Amino acid sequence: QVRLVESGGGLVQAGGSLRLSCVASGRIFGDYMGWFRQAPGKDREFVAGFSWSGGPTDYLESVKGRFTISGDRARNTLYLQMNNLKPADTAIYYCASSPTKTTVDSGFWGQGTQVTVSS
């Protein structure tokens, strides 16, 4: 069993920054971890992906250059540094873990952390 706990969300003005954290616990978790978000009335969307084995990171086009995903294996923690935030970034942010990106829907998910960006 894998447990993922996100933190770091909050209310910030446009142009501000936040750093989200996702702490993973459990005996085994997959090579792939990612950040996803869901805004009210919208479908969940991929934000950024990370491979513990050193594969390339990837990002939603609209966050490239503003968000950075990283991981600290010693702390079993995944991060999402979010800079120059925009109101359109307002959503609940979730982290997920799975063996590969294609299996993430059936992987482990956290409970989410709310990010609100005011204009």
Side-chain angles (χ1 to χ4, degrees):
Q1 185 73 17
V2 176
R3 183 168 181 247
L4 304 174
V5 179
E6 303 98 333
S7 62
L11 173 64
V12 64
Q13 289 187 330
S17 298
L18 286 173
R19 188 176 79 155
L20 305 184
S21 299
C22 172
V23 179
S25 60
R27 295 178 63 183
I28 298 172
F29 52 92
D31 179 66
Y32 178 83
M33 291 191 75
W35 286 99
F36 297 76
R37 67 187 183 187
Q38 187 166 22
K42 295 186 177 181
D43 292 335
R44 185 181 70 197
E45 66 177 352
F46 165 81
V47 176
F50 177 86
S51 168
W52 290 109
S53 62
T57 55
D58 59 336
Y59 297 91
L60 176 70
E61 189 65 32
S62 64
V63 308
K64 284 182 179 178
R66 301 189 296 122
F67 291 10
T68 303
I69 189 170
S70 62
D72 183 337
R73 193 77 191 202
R75 292 180 168 83
N76 286 344
T77 302
L78 183 74
Y79 300 102
L80 185 68
Q81 177 66 43
M82 306 186 294
N83 298 328
N84 191 20
L85 283 159
K86 303 176 180 181
D89 295 319
T90 295
I92 299 174
Y93 283 70
Y94 301 89
C95 69
S97 173
S98 68
T100 65
K101 183 177 182 179
T102 58
T103 59
V104 71
D105 281 347
S106 59
F108 295 96
W109 290 78
Q111 82 291 345
T113 185
Q114 176 71 48
V115 171
T116 303
V117 185
S118 63
S119 56

